Amino acid sequence: MTDILDLLALPDDARIHNRLTKKDLSGQYENEAPADARYLNRIVAQATAVGVLRPEKIGVRGFKDADHEVDIIPVLNVALTASARSGDIRRVSELLHRNTPRPIILQIALADGVPYMALAVTRLSLSDRTRTTSVIEASLIVPTDEIADGALTLSGINRSDLWALYCDIVRITAAGGRPASEALTAVQAIGLRRRLIDLESELNTVIRDVRREKNIQRKIDLNATASRLRRDIAETQTALYAPEYTKHDEESPTQ
């Protein structure tokens, strides 16, 4: 199993081990959304802060504008109960990202131990006068083991400020740990990943239908659809991945 701290190559003095209480996770929801508070209390078995990206720890300055105040980026490990299913990962991620005024790096694991990176592009909620909650613009959940070793090493990504660093982590994660196109925003990268997943799923369905189809004309039509989907997939990959990665992929003899 991939360790999120090793994936980030977080220095020792930026690593911590602080157990979070149920109140830490659900406190914001107890008055305004008690059902969400009860859900978090029921579905989360354990949550631990395992790291924190601070300017003085990693040498990257903070960031502040009208929509963001990024003084730190917490890194949290969240273990769900045995009753949790894959759909709970997204809901827990959404609730936790909304429950903080700053971006966080989440690793959420089901009871079987399979971990997922759960990231979100957020901004401060304008309706919250306390500026302690966020609105999610786009979110991303990727199996942690899908990310190649070294892909998210902090020394190798955008270090302009903490917000730029977080957005770069999102872009690279959206590209499955491959180099992502620098022309993309984090939100655009998430959108392209979702489109790529949808296209690949549709292509798999069409290929399966071709194998089952007996009618010749219908086979021809399905093969034409498959060809179009392959072109769309190639175009989406070109938009998502950095040019040097796309070029390497095209030249690979295994493709």
Side-chain angles (χ1 to χ4, degrees):
M1 182 187 301
T2 302
D3 187 298
I4 186 64
L5 299 178
D6 292 339
L7 195 61
L8 296 168
L10 211 59
D12 289 343
D13 61 353
R15 302 185 182 208
I16 59 177
H17 188 83
N18 295 335
R19 288 281 297 271
L20 301 179
T21 67
K22 300 284 187 179
K23 186 78 171 179
D24 293 328
L25 299 180
S26 62
Q28 292 274 17
Y29 295 110
E30 287 182 349
N31 293 327
E32 296 185 3
D36 289 335
R38 290 193 297 272
Y39 170 77
L40 285 173
N41 290 337
R42 175 178 59 81
I43 208 69
V44 174
Q46 180 177 308
T48 308
V50 295
V52 58
L53 280 57
R54 296 181 183 274
E56 65 272 20
K57 298 295 186 181
I58 64 171
V60 178
R61 66 185 177 89
F63 178 84
K64 182 176 181 179
D65 66 8
D67 294 321
H68 309 90
E69 291 183 10
V70 191
D71 52 345
I72 64 171
I73 301 175
V75 183
L76 308 182
N77 268 341
V78 178
L80 302 186
T81 62
S83 65
R85 299 293 180 263
S86 58
D88 291 306
I89 295 173
R90 184 167 298 281
R91 187 176 177 192
V92 168
S93 172
E94 177 184 344
L95 291 172
L96 295 184
H97 280 292
R98 284 168 44 199
N99 194 29
T100 176
R102 56 182 63 85
I104 54 178
I105 298 172
L106 284 176
Q107 181 170 251
I108 303 176
L110 294 170
D112 61 9
V114 177
Y116 293 82
M117 286 271 288
L119 307 172
V121 180
T122 60
R123 57 176 173 78
L124 290 168
S125 174
L126 297 178
S127 62
D128 180 6
R129 294 183 179 180
T130 66
R131 295 174 70 85
T132 58
T133 59
S134 295
V135 173
I136 297 174
E137 295 185 347
S139 61
L140 175 69
I141 295 174
V142 177
T144 306
D145 290 345
E146 181 180 314
I147 310 302
D149 290 343
L152 296 179
T153 301
L154 294 183
S155 61
I157 59 181
N158 192 327
R159 297 173 61 86
S160 302
D161 54 62
L162 288 177
W163 178 238
L165 182 145
Y166 185 84
C167 288
D168 212 20
I169 289 174
V170 172
R171 288 191 314 110
I172 295 169
T173 302
R178 304 167 182 83
S181 171
E182 295 182 359
L184 297 174
T185 66
V187 172
Q188 288 171 335
I190 291 172
L192 285 171
R193 178 185 175 85
R194 289 178 176 171
R195 174 168 169 75
L196 188 58
I197 290 172
D198 289 345
L199 287 170
E200 289 174 340
S201 176
E202 187 177 353
L203 176 60
N204 289 334
T205 299
V206 171
I207 290 173
R208 185 171 61 250
D209 290 345
V210 168
R211 292 169 179 165
R212 296 173 176 174
E213 184 59 56
K214 304 300 183 183
N215 182 278
I216 298 300
Q217 184 57 51
R218 178 60 179 158
K219 272 183 176 288
I220 292 172
D221 293 341
L222 287 169
N223 279 319
T225 299
S227 295
R228 175 184 59 78
L229 288 170
R230 290 188 179 97
R231 289 194 300 271
D232 290 345
I233 287 171
E235 291 174 0
T236 305
Q237 290 174 330
T238 297
L240 177 57
Y241 303 141
E244 60 270 24
Y245 179 83
T246 303
K247 184 174 185 295
H248 170 78
D249 198 48
E250 290 172 349
E251 294 175 349
S252 173
T254 63
Q255 299 301 311

